[in-house]
Amino acid sequence: MPTVQINGHAMHYELHGRGDPAICMGGWGTYCHGRERHLAQGLTDRYQVLIIDYRGIGDSTDNPSQEPTMALHAADVIGLLEHLRWSRVHFVGLVGMGACIAQEVAIRRPDLVRSMVNMGAWASVDPFLRGQLELFRDIHRDCGFPTFQKHVCLMSFLPEFYNQNQAKLLGPQGPWTELDGRYSAHERLVAACLDHDVTARLHAVQAPTLVIHAGQDQVTGPRTTLPLERGIPHAQGLHLPHVAHVVAGREQKAEFSQALLRFLATH
């Protein structure tokens, strides 16, 4: 799959499916390199889905001389969309910084954003979220990747799911392994998340927006997502009361996918 020079770094991306253009971005990881299987069920059946490696992970490089901000990541995405000659793209941002990047693009380049979905996101970092993000970073730095992975899994999944799937969640096949051996990249991703603040600019979002509130999310639950629904003009809200930070399990994935596809189909 291609790697192109965008905004001062080599940026890796993949395209999957056919249909109207959509981009899906998650948290401190990637849907590339075989992980497209984690995309919402049915998404690539109806849309051509763009997925990317963030700076410093996967096959994307980074430029340490560039300050790590969410605006920088948004500029990367804007540059890639211009390279692909895409416009009016469905933006699906899930589980952290992918949603924040989508907000920045929607504010800066409304011509590129046909619709936007935000889940596991924030408009700005309050002291509690700041402490959590810094703790994730510090555990990785001070205790190593396996301890970081265990901690973030315990924070991101429901107890029942963790109990049944612990062997799959922990280790080289588990989540967030893109960060294993790449602490510096993780540190810069965290810095971009801590920097993000669009509170005073949410009114500039023109795209139809769905904000999903995960009721059991210990990191970015309704405390951080409700201000997005309230601040974005005409945004729709959807409450999933039994969902944690990561949508997991057959029933939850089906419910989430159906809601996502219903929203995209209306725009």
Side-chain angles (χ1 to χ4, degrees), residues 19-161:
D20 289 340
I23 179 172
C24 188
M25 299 175 288
W28 298 328
T30 181
Y31 287 108
C32 297
H33 314 290
R35 295 178 178 88
E36 69 275 4
R37 65 186 184 279
H38 296 303
L39 291 169
Q41 298 168 3
L43 188 63
T44 57
D45 295 333
R46 307 184 190 185
Y47 301 93
Q48 185 174 38
V49 182
L50 169 64
I51 51 180
I52 62 174
D53 286 343
Y54 295 135
R55 289 170 170 260
I57 65 173
D59 289 337
S60 287
T61 63
D62 198 1
N63 183 345
S65 68
Q66 293 177 287
E67 183 180 1
T69 65
M70 208 63 72
L72 177 66
H73 288 276
D76 294 344
V77 171
I78 291 169
L80 181 57
L81 294 180
E82 291 177 341
H83 170 78
L84 295 173
R85 298 183 180 179
W86 277 18
S87 61
R88 290 185 49 77
V89 180
H90 295 291
F91 272 69
V92 181
L94 307 174
V95 197
M97 66 179 290
C100 298
I101 294 171
Q103 297 164 23
E104 282 283 359
V105 177
I107 292 168
R108 293 166 182 265
R109 290 291 304 273
D111 58 304
L112 295 178
V113 185
R114 181 172 180 175
S115 71
M116 181 170 71
V117 177
N118 265 206
M119 183 177 182
W122 58 92
S124 63
V125 175
D126 65 12
F128 193 81
L129 180 57
R130 177 175 295 276
Q132 288 179 307
L133 297 177
E134 291 174 340
L135 182 61
F136 289 147
R137 177 199 63 199
D138 295 349
I139 288 175
H140 188 178
R141 180 192 64 207
D142 298 338
C143 303
F145 176 79
T147 303
F148 159 77
Q149 185 187 52
K150 184 175 184 178
H151 177 69
V152 75
C153 283
L154 288 168
M155 294 292 292
S156 298
F157 295 94
L158 293 175
E160 297 80 8
F161 185 86

Side-chain angles (χ1 to χ4, degrees), residues 212-224:
I212 301 176
H213 311 291
Q216 300 301 312
D217 189 341
Q218 300 182 69
V219 184
T220 51
R223 186 190 85 260
T224 67

